[in-house]
Amino acid sequence: MIRAPSQRFPRKARLKRRRLIKPLFDRGLSTSQSVSSGCIRLVYRCVPRSATGTDSWIQVGFAPGRHKHSVTRNRLRRRMREAWRTHLHLLSSDTIAGDTTLTVMVLYRVRGFHRNMQHDLVQAMQRLTHHLKEARGEAWIET
């Protein structure tokens, strides 16, 4: 029996460690950068792969912001995760330097549901790819 490849969001690709998330939002550090499109903002940073504890080339976290009901917040997080997973092919491990991991936080900046959330996320991912290709020759990796 031949099985189709798994469509799950892999556990290794989830950004969960506080020591990796905190530097993304530290205003004193200049290593984190961001791109945005519509209601989505991507904050990203490259770190050595040894600092992440996994062999994954990318780790991503999702923050839908504050909402009155947890049902709304969880639904937004689920939709962001699904849009990221289905469009991950826009990014590739070739845009990341050798033994580094790209850490990304996906931030949702609107209250309630936004019709174009998936479209905005795809555009932000394309901009991220463009920024990474531009910076690939530069040494901006935090050690």
Side-chain angles (χ1 to χ4, degrees):
M1 176 179 204
I2 298 173
R3 288 189 170 175
S6 176
Q7 297 295 314
R8 295 180 58 223
F9 187 68
R11 197 173 282 278
K12 289 191 284 185
R14 297 177 187 176
L15 181 61
K16 296 185 287 186
R17 295 182 184 217
R18 187 172 291 186
R19 65 183 169 87
L20 295 175
I21 295 171
K22 190 174 180 181
L24 288 170
F25 299 102
D26 190 1
R27 293 178 187 225
L29 295 175
S30 63
T31 57
S32 63
Q33 299 175 0
S34 70
V35 293
S36 55
S37 175
C39 65
I40 298 291
R41 180 174 172 225
L42 302 179
V43 181
Y44 65 97
R45 177 175 178 246
C46 283
V47 295
R49 196 161 288 177
S50 59
T52 61
T54 67
D55 59 348
S56 179
W57 64 275
I58 190 167
Q59 285 193 332
V60 61
F62 301 92
R66 295 180 184 215
H67 295 276
K68 189 173 182 180
H69 302 286
S70 61
V71 174
T72 306
R73 184 175 59 250
N74 292 334
R75 186 180 299 153
L76 284 169
R77 187 177 287 124
R78 235 182 357 257
R79 287 184 178 180
M80 286 192 300
R81 224 179 5 238
E82 178 66 13
W84 180 272
R85 186 188 63 78
T86 56
H87 293 93
L88 186 60
H89 66 275
L90 296 174
L91 296 170
S92 68
S93 58
D94 299 338
T95 57
I96 310 299
D99 60 344
T100 60
T101 298
L102 179 66
T103 57
V104 181
M105 277 299 286
V106 180
L107 308 174
Y108 184 76
R109 306 185 301 174
V110 178
R111 297 268 186 229
F113 287 102
H114 186 36
R115 291 183 301 161
N116 298 329
M117 191 256 312
Q118 184 172 356
H119 179 264
D120 291 344
L121 182 60
V122 170
Q123 277 191 332
M125 289 173 77
Q126 290 170 341
R127 288 181 183 169
L128 175 61
T129 302
H130 180 70
H131 281 257
L132 290 173
K133 285 182 180 178
E134 282 183 352
R136 195 161 88 184
E138 301 173 8
W140 58 279
I141 300 165
E142 177 68 20
T143 57

